[in-house]
Amino acid sequence: MRIESVVGVQAVRLAVTVGAVVVAPVLLVARLIAKGAVRLELDHYLEVLVPKPGAFPGSTALEQARSAGRFTPLHDAWWAQARKVHGERDGTRALIEVLLLGRPCRTSTSSPGWPRPCGPGR
């Protein structure tokens, strides 16, 4: 038997079998209504932006992340400080590297279906 439900803010899939109950997250993606609309995920572009940090400030993915509230004023404040200390290019690269550290990492040591943060050496 399979049941899909929203628990709090997390959508989950519940599979019940004899002797086991498996709970796994379900990815929910909002539909795009406008014809030809594009939704870019900032996280998908981070590796590409590391060697070319100058493309980050004007990127569509960054603007969409800001609009969606995933790139907050706290991120902007940290980025501004990093640019002040390290310069435009290196400060932007530092922000991108920090964002990469916060990526979820799926490994055999994490619970099935649940992401855990990736850090250095993981």
Side-chain angles (χ1 to χ4, degrees):
M1 172 173 69
R2 291 184 184 267
I3 302 169
E4 288 190 25
S5 180
V6 176
V7 178
V9 295
Q10 176 71 46
V12 295
R13 177 174 291 131
L14 178 67
V16 181
T17 61
V18 177
V21 175
V22 179
V23 178
V26 176
L27 179 62
L28 297 177
V29 179
R31 290 186 173 203
L32 294 173
I33 297 171
K35 184 176 181 179
V38 177
R39 179 180 300 112
L40 302 176
E41 188 65 41
L42 180 60
D43 188 58
H44 296 172
Y45 295 91
L46 293 175
E47 286 96 358
V48 175
L49 292 167
V50 170
K52 301 235 178 222
F56 185 73
S59 68
T60 302
L62 176 60
E63 288 307 312
Q64 288 183 1
R66 277 190 174 121
S67 296
R70 289 188 304 273
F71 195 88
T72 66
L74 182 61
H75 290 99
D76 275 320
W78 194 93
W79 186 16
Q81 185 63 26
R83 288 184 300 191
K84 181 178 177 184
V85 171
H86 301 289
E88 191 72 29
R89 186 189 74 217
D90 291 337
T92 300
R93 184 174 288 130
L95 171 70
I96 294 167
E97 290 171 353
V98 167
L99 292 173
L100 283 167
L101 288 175
R103 272 194 167 163
C105 183
R106 297 186 191 283
T107 67
S108 59
T109 59
S110 65
S111 299
W114 292 95
R116 68 177 179 81
C118 269
R122 291 187 189 167

